[in-house]
Structures are given as C-alpha cells and as structure tokens.
Amino acid sequence: MNELRQDPITGDWVIMAPDRGARPHAVPAAPDRTRRAEPCPFCPGNEFQTPPELWRLTGADGAWRIRVVPNKFAALTPIDAPTRGAEGFVAMAAYGHHEVIIESPCHNADLATVAVAQVTAVLAAYRQRYRALAASSGTALIVIFRNHGSASGTSLDHPHSQIVSTPFVPPQAQQRLEHARRHFDRTHVNLYADVLGNELRDGRRIVSTRSDLVAFQPYASIVPFETWIVPRHPQASFGHIDDSVLDQLAGMTRVVLGGLREVLHDPPYNLVVHSSPLSDENNDYFSWHLQIVPRLGIAAGFELGTGMAINSVVPERAAAALRAAVGRQIAAGV
C-alpha cells in the first residue's frame, strides 16, 4: 500500500509508491569510464588547461595527489560589481567563489573504489577549502558537492568535487535551518539528534554505524536509496570537524559509495555536504551532514506541480540491500 510520509528535517511530504517501481522502462548500461575524449584538462600533464592552482596536496614522489583550481565556468566569482535589476525586479552581482577539487591524478579513479586513505585526503581537502573560503569577506554559506555520472549534471568523468560560497543563505537552506530552530525552541533537543535517535531505535533504515557517525536511509527519502551520514554528536559546521571524525567519515563514505555502486551498478548521484551559515556556526539546533542522492529517475509533472516527491523504493527495503552490500565491503577489508 502506498503511504504519505513527512520528512522531519524539512517538513516536506513524500509519497512512498513501491508499485511504481514495476513500471516498464529502459535500464541504461553502466557507463564505460575507461574511455575519454582527449585531452582531459584534469589529467597530469594538462595542468595548463585549468585556471591557476589555488591549493595542492603533493605525494612523497613530488607529484600532486589532489589539486584545487577555480572553476573555469564558475557560477559565482569573487568580483563584487554594482548591478541593478529591471524595474520592479531585484538583482545583485553574482559574487562568491566556485572551486573544483580534482580528487586524483588517475582519470578512472572513483571514491567508491579507491583506498580509504585517498578518500580521507579528499575530505581533508574539502575541510581545508571550506576554512579558506570561510575566511573570505562577503561569504554567508559554503556548499560542497560532488556530481557523479552524466545524469547528475557532471560534464567531465575525471573524479572531482566542487565547493561554492554564496553571499547570502538561499531560501531552501534557510528553510532547513528555520525548521531545525523551531524544533529546538519547542523541545530543547537538536532535531538531527532527535531524528538519529529515532532511527537507531527503529533500526530498519540503518545502513552502517561508527563510534561518531551513522549512515541511514531517511524515513521520508525523496528518491530510492537516498543515504545520509550524520554525526552522533551534532555539530553545526563541517569546518569544525576534527581529524578523528574526518577519518571515520572517509571510511563510511567509501563503503556506502561502494555499496551503492554494487547494488545499483554504478549509479549517477549527487553528494552534498550541508553546513550552517558562517554567521551561526556554533548553534545548538543544526548539524552538518552528508547527503547522497542517486539519480535513478526524473521529476515528472506531479512532482513539478506539487513539490512532492514520489519514491518507488521504501527506505526500509533500500537500507536492507545497502546494509548487506556495505557489510560485504567491510568484510573485504575496505
């Protein structure tokens, strides 16, 4: 039977409709990432094709392991020019920062298959660039994200993530914060700790646990196999996480992405690190968290007309499949 579920984090409603998963549709083949158009601007030897480097991690051999460069086609740039909108409308300069984190010199590397040490290095680069952008004037919010596969919006196969700073807090992020603040004002309990406690007591949607982190499928997942990684002890800013939590996050991210790769045959996905605005990084009501959203379908007329998602795989079923796959990853020594 179909079911309407309310997301405790956002207040949004999601329709769980497992029967819709039986609809006939073409299943695309897994992409062949061994083939590429030459030359790839992110591969070694082609560094001249990117904007000037902002930061790099160098290996023992002197070669780079990770590079950070400005996005050549940036959505936001650190140029605060005056602007005015058309009469009756509002506009402002597209001020901010938009950087690319090139995760590996290997064109065919993947966070789902590389050694955990490389995932740790990538997450440490996330944190380093987060802190660097947090020190820039005019920055209100920092968003880190990773697009994997063409259906996720990426244009280059070479493994990379992106980090963007904005001059204000966008409405969707503001809504998420306000919802958490109202919950805290009403209950005096952090919303994310409350949700995590409920998930741990239920157990059916838990994917994996560590001493400081839990991976689970949200009760009102917006898409099949949506997965969150949340700290057990809420912390508003991703920029404040310490090395021990970062190490655990790397191991958990690696096995969760590896599990999704196994169960869904290397699906396209978006990975987002949510964090508090810089003006309120020490609040008690929010918590940074990592969200992975597989792109297994597209929004159709109902979703666009109502803002409500329809999920064809209930999270309890998705969690069971992913939990088994993660268990195999861990048993294999990942």
Side-chain angles (χ1 to χ4, degrees):
M1 179 180 292
N2 292 353
E3 184 178 28
L4 273 165
R5 293 187 179 184
Q6 188 176 37
D7 185 342
I9 298 297
T10 65
D12 293 337
W13 288 90
V14 176
I15 300 174
M16 296 294 164
D19 289 346
R20 288 177 63 81
R23 290 178 300 162
H25 59 279
V27 179
D32 181 1
R33 303 191 191 284
T34 63
R35 302 175 60 189
R36 67 178 186 268
E38 296 288 355
C40 169
F42 293 165
C43 281
N46 297 332
E47 289 84 358
F48 68 93
Q49 294 188 36
T50 69
E53 192 173 275
L54 297 168
W55 181 87
R56 74 160 53 187
L57 175 66
T58 303
D61 59 357
W64 64 268
R65 288 179 59 198
I66 297 174
R67 296 178 69 229
V68 179
V69 300
N71 192 308
K72 193 173 183 178
F73 306 98
L76 300 169
T77 60
I79 301 174
D80 193 4
T83 186
R84 58 189 293 267
E87 185 175 351
F89 297 89
V90 177
M92 64 183 293
Y95 174 80
H97 299 81
H98 190 169
E99 301 179 358
V100 177
I101 300 169
I102 305 170
E103 300 169 355
S104 170
C106 178
H107 184 86
N108 300 318
D110 187 349
L111 289 188
T113 58
V114 298
V116 172
Q118 185 64 20
V119 183
T120 303
V122 170
L123 296 182
Y126 285 5
R127 184 180 62 181
Q128 198 281 339
R129 295 313 301 165
Y130 184 102
R131 291 173 175 176
L133 293 184
S136 301
S137 61
T139 296
L141 185 73
I142 298 171
V143 179
I144 303 167
F145 61 96
R146 186 177 200 270
N147 302 330
H148 176 79
S150 59
S152 74
T154 191
S155 56
L156 288 172
D157 282 341
H158 195 113
H160 66 284
S161 300
Q162 300 179 62
I163 181 167
V164 174
S165 71
T166 64
F168 59 85
V169 180
Q172 186 181 70
Q174 189 65 53
Q175 178 187 4
R176 189 182 301 113
L177 291 162
E178 289 298 331
H179 195 75
R181 183 186 288 116
R182 287 194 298 269
H183 181 89
F184 186 82
D185 290 343
R186 186 175 65 252
T187 67
H188 306 292
V189 177
N190 181 283
L191 173 59
Y192 294 83
D194 214 0
V195 168
L196 188 55
N198 290 336
E199 292 290 4
L200 286 168
R201 281 188 290 274
D202 184 287
R204 291 175 297 163
R205 291 173 294 278
I206 299 297
V207 172
S208 185
T209 62
R210 300 287 171 99
S211 61
D212 292 309
L213 300 167
V214 177
F216 64 93
Q217 306 270 306
Y219 175 74
S221 305
I222 58 174
V223 300
F225 289 88
E226 178 187 2
T227 308
W228 286 32
I229 300 177
V230 177
R232 290 180 186 266
H233 307 290
Q235 188 172 36
S237 174
F238 176 78
H240 292 168
I241 67 173
D242 61 28
D243 288 345
S244 65
V245 175
L246 192 78
D247 288 343
Q248 290 181 47
L249 182 60
M252 183 168 277
T253 300
R254 168 62 179 80
V255 295
V256 166
L257 290 178
L260 288 170
R261 182 185 178 96
E262 175 189 328
V263 174
L264 300 177
H265 310 294
D266 193 15
Y269 64 80
N270 300 109
L271 180 156
V272 181
V273 179
H274 298 275
S275 188
S276 251
L278 299 183
S279 62
D280 198 15
E281 286 192 298
N282 296 305
N283 69 68
D284 294 323
Y285 59 85
F286 190 76
S287 181
W288 71 264
H289 53 285
L290 188 151
Q291 178 188 25
I292 303 167
V293 180
R295 293 298 183 183
L296 304 179
I298 60 173
F302 177 82
E303 292 89 341
L304 296 174
T306 64
M308 293 173 62
I310 300 177
N311 186 345
S312 61
V313 181
V314 293
E316 292 80 7
R317 178 184 172 191
L322 185 55
R323 185 165 56 245
V326 167
R328 289 189 288 273
Q329 297 271 317
I330 294 171
V334 172

